[in-house]
Amino acid sequence: MTATTAAPVSWARLLGAELRWVLRRPRTWVMLALLAAVPVVMALGIVLSDRPRRSLLSEVTGNGLSLPVAALSILLTLLLPLAVAVAAGDAIAGEDQQGTLRGLLLAPVGRLRLVVMKAFGVYVVAGLAVAVVTVSAVVAGWVMIGPPVVLATAGDGGALVTMSGTTLSLADAATRIALVAGWTAVQLVAVGTVALAISSFTEHPVVVLSSVLGGVILFGVLTAIPALAPLHPWLITTGWDAAADVLRDPLPYGGLVRSSLVAGGYLAVGAAMLVVRMQRRDA
């Protein structure tokens, strides 16, 4: 009598199970709610202030569609990496701490498929975080701040005044916002992959959280030291100020492309570490 081998679990079932697990966690929705509230608070502060000091936020005054760019740029420095770090810590280290990771490692799904499943969950959180911030900022900017007064009264179809002083149509403004949202998602995917790699080496989610946030802060400090200028191009945080480039006309793609390539390098290294660790990890 021949033994029957169990049929492999389908990708749809695996990814669906991970998606349900991610979306059922209360902390996921708490983080998304907090991220959605930040652009609203920013818009309220701009409305109540007479004239913000010269900064990226000053470009939002009377120019509501600039708020998504400002919100994503500011949140990328800490809160957005925090969201993906929490998700990555729960994905592997959290399950190891709860004792459920052993069952997943012994299940006939394959460890590489398990890695893909866990990465999918983290990437979903990254995408949701960017989408929530973008939508919240667009709505808050348009409702509370509105388009530039001159453009609104002139009725010439202009929707966004760039930092170069030119005017973009509503379609062009939407394209710029989508571009910065996609670019931000790429940066978060890289951070999330590195966080997953760290998560595979520990059973304590707080270690993942402290490592990612500590790394972001450390990179920021290193970027501020002129003597370490040769090191700056290799730090993922160095290019995070490129988000403001979408508010220039013509749009300079250099900073966005360079920072995306650096993020791709971190993603590749993190993915390699994650796969090797999970393949060699004892159940």
Side-chain angles (χ1 to χ4, degrees):
M1 183 175 181
T2 58
T4 59
T5 58
V9 181
S10 67
W11 279 109
R13 184 176 177 183
L14 280 176
L15 299 182
E18 185 67 15
L19 182 61
R20 288 191 298 271
W21 185 77
V22 168
L23 296 181
R24 284 176 181 173
R25 292 203 305 261
R27 71 181 65 187
T28 299
W29 296 103
V30 171
M31 287 189 302
L32 293 177
L34 291 175
L35 290 172
V38 172
V40 177
V41 174
M42 291 173 60
L44 183 61
I46 292 170
V47 169
L48 296 179
S49 63
D50 294 331
R51 181 180 294 273
R53 59 185 179 180
R54 186 63 183 175
S55 64
L56 181 57
L57 281 179
S58 67
E59 302 297 330
V60 184
T61 306
N63 196 11
L65 288 184
S66 298
L67 184 60
V69 180
L72 289 170
S73 179
I74 292 173
L75 290 176
L76 184 58
T77 60
L78 190 61
L79 290 184
L80 286 173
L82 170 65
V84 295
V86 170
D90 285 338
I92 298 179
E95 293 225 26
D96 191 12
Q97 188 178 62
Q98 296 172 9
T100 55
L101 182 63
R102 177 178 173 82
L104 292 173
L105 292 174
L106 294 175
V109 296
R111 297 199 174 191
L112 184 58
R113 286 158 64 92
L114 177 61
V115 168
V116 174
M117 181 178 72
K118 290 301 179 183
F120 172 75
V122 174
Y123 297 164
V124 165
V125 172
L128 285 175
V130 173
V132 164
V133 172
T134 303
V135 172
S136 174
V138 168
V139 174
W142 189 265
V143 172
M144 301 178 66
I145 301 174
V149 177
V150 174
L151 301 179
T153 56
D156 60 358
L160 177 65
V161 175
T162 68
M163 297 172 66
S164 305
T166 58
T167 304
L168 300 178
S169 66
L170 183 59
D172 289 337
T175 301
R176 299 288 184 100
I177 293 172
L179 176 62
V180 74
W183 173 85
T184 304
V186 170
Q187 305 301 312
L188 289 184
V189 164
V191 173
T193 304
V194 173
L196 271 174
I198 299 172
S199 185
S200 66
F201 284 91
T202 180
E203 62 178 15
H204 303 291
V206 69
V207 172
V208 182
L209 183 61
S210 59
S211 298
V212 172
L213 295 187
V216 170
I217 294 172
L218 175 61
F219 281 13
V221 172
L222 295 178
T223 304
I225 301 176
L228 299 178
L231 184 64
H232 294 172
W234 303 99
L235 304 178
I236 189 172
T237 57
T238 300
W240 282 359
D241 58 355
D245 288 346
V246 301
L247 294 179
R248 306 181 191 279
D249 193 30
L251 197 159
Y253 288 96
L256 295 171
V257 172
R258 282 193 300 272
S259 57
S260 297
L261 292 176
V262 173
Y266 279 83
L267 191 155
V269 172
M273 292 175 57
L274 174 61
V275 171
V276 171
R277 170 59 177 166
M278 292 301 290
Q279 292 284 8
R280 297 181 176 180
R281 181 164 182 156
D282 296 331

